[in-house]
Amino acid sequence: MSLPSSHPEISEHKHSGKTCPVTGKGHEWCPPQPGDSRSPCPALNTLANHGYLPRDGKNLSVFDIISALKAGYNLSTFLAAFLTIGGFILLRRLTNVDLYEIGRHGRVEHDASLVHRDTSEGQKYAPISINQRLVDRLIADAKTGDEEGEGPEFGDRRILMDASDVARARIRREKESPRLDRMHAEIARGEMAIILGLWETKAGNNAGVPVEWVREWIGHERLPKDWKPTHVQGFRDVVRRSAAIRKAMEEQRKAEAEQVGEKHPPNVRSGTQVYLT
Ligand code: HEM
């Protein structure tokens, strides 16, 4: 994983348990070291990078993950347990896991990820390397300026990512990949719905997650420096936000289809002559 440009170089070292020989016993960020295990999930990798999970990302129990989700992100016990137990059921695992095992293709993991390439033909596990061009595309989707005070001219600081921005990004990625089944499409929306609830910030009439936080987290797997938990993130709020992403996707797809329809009315598009009586 690349270091954020602002971060001092860290020389190679070994992780075991939650303590890091360089950053100590606390929750300072340290990137994975050679031999550490990581997954395609930015949330779990971030917890390991901050020592809420064992920093080597190995031998994790359901309870390790539930308590790390609560301590690191302030999730409710129910939401943390739902995500983790649900994840283990889909993974068909009863025993502890290393983070890379969570990325078993087709279980929880799916194509059309926001910042990871699709799993190549014949591979059992998804790629874990973050594609920084996809990170840029995700941020650009939030900068299309559909809300007042947004647009590239304002830089990252004023841009807030909301459900309609996530919908735009999901539609783009789902066009670039094989079709997702319903369950994986739902999982993909839920992943970002959690973050929209967790880090929602208000600025004037707008509400959303500051895109520099999204970039720090999804691009460098680091908790946003100036985030302080303001509430316990609950299950129902995530369901509501996930539904809002789905609705925004339906509306955007419909608007897109209408635009295509206006440019190419069916009789012209098909190239066949239509006789009106
Ligand atoms: C705070 C809780 C969590 C949040 C906010 C979260 C968020 C995310 C996000 C945004 C992605 C998409 C990355 C991308 O599209 O490139 C992702 C991927 C993934 N997450 Fe999590 N996650 C959470 C917890 C979990 C848990 C508990 C598990 C399993 C036990 C899990 C398993 C996965 C897997 C397998 C992927 C890869 C899916 C893909 O193919 O994109 N996540 N997560």
Side-chain angles (χ1 to χ4, degrees):
M1 189 192 355
S2 65
L3 283 176
S5 55
S6 59
H7 202 281
E9 279 298 321
I10 296 179
S11 55
E12 218 171 274
H13 55 278
K14 197 163 168 45
H15 285 146
S16 80
K18 292 183 181 169
T19 306
C20 167
V22 173
T23 63
K25 277 191 176 164
H27 293 295
E28 283 266 312
W29 182 84
C30 181
Q33 297 300 307
D36 289 351
S37 184
R38 290 295 183 267
S39 72
C41 175
L44 298 178
N45 292 350
T46 299
L47 291 174
N49 293 344
H50 282 278
Y52 289 101
L53 282 173
R55 288 183 183 264
D56 64 3
K58 292 181 179 167
N59 197 23
L60 312 174
S61 70
V62 166
F63 302 104
D64 290 331
I65 299 179
I66 294 175
S67 51
L69 287 171
K70 290 176 63 181
Y73 295 109
N74 225 23
L75 298 194
S76 70
T77 304
F78 182 79
L79 178 57
F82 174 84
L83 295 171
T84 310
I85 296 169
F88 273 61
I89 290 172
L90 290 178
L91 286 170
R92 298 174 218 157
R93 282 296 291 247
L94 295 170
T95 50
N96 292 4
V97 291
D98 290 354
L99 278 177
Y100 84 90
E101 294 175 279
I102 282 174
R104 178 81 185 260
H105 182 57
R107 301 275 165 99
V108 180
E109 198 279 333
H110 51 79
D111 286 332
S113 303
L114 294 175
V115 301
H116 295 90
R117 289 275 168 223
D118 289 349
T119 310
S120 320
E121 192 73 30
Q123 292 296 310
K124 212 165 158 187
Y125 294 96
I128 56 160
S129 58
I130 302 162
N131 184 307
Q132 293 299 333
R133 280 187 53 203
L134 287 177
V135 175
D136 289 341
R137 299 281 304 276
L138 173 66
I139 301 299
D141 280 322
K143 285 187 182 175
T144 50
D146 62 346
E147 283 113 33
E148 210 183 317
E150 287 193 351
E153 65 277 20
F154 292 106
D156 276 9
R157 289 207 69 80
R158 293 258 313 261
I159 312 292
L160 300 176
M161 180 177 284
D162 62 14
S164 75
D165 300 321
V166 173
R168 194 173 299 117
R170 288 248 35 93
I171 290 176
R172 174 176 53 75
R173 289 297 288 136
E174 287 180 29
K175 272 189 202 157
E176 294 167 352
S177 294
R179 196 181 166 82
L180 289 184
D181 59 46
R182 280 168 72 125
M183 183 187 79
H184 286 102
E186 188 69 52
I187 290 176
R189 288 189 292 269
E191 289 160 350
M192 284 304 285
I194 304 169
I195 284 306
L196 292 183
L198 200 59
W199 291 335
E200 186 172 78
T201 305
K202 293 205 164 64
N205 293 332
N206 293 339
V209 178
V211 291
E212 75 264 30
W213 289 12
V214 177
R215 191 189 283 282
E216 187 75 356
W217 178 70
I218 213 162
H220 299 293
E221 299 184 334
R222 194 152 90 149
L223 287 173
K225 267 200 232 56
D226 42 357
W227 169 64
K228 299 270 173 303
T230 52
H231 64 283
V232 174
Q233 180 59 39
F235 176 78
R236 278 215 303 221
D237 180 74
V238 173
V239 173
R240 196 173 55 78
R241 288 176 192 275
S242 191
I245 298 172
R246 189 183 59 222
K247 187 160 174 264
M249 286 177 77
E250 282 162 10
E251 284 167 4
Q252 288 176 24
R253 281 186 170 134
K254 198 168 155 224
E256 209 175 290
E258 276 167 12
Q259 257 185 4
V260 173
E262 273 164 27
K263 275 195 208 142
H264 308 285
N267 54 338
V268 175
R269 195 172 20 160
S270 66
T272 51
Q273 197 76 35
V274 175
Y275 296 99
L276 299 174
T277 51

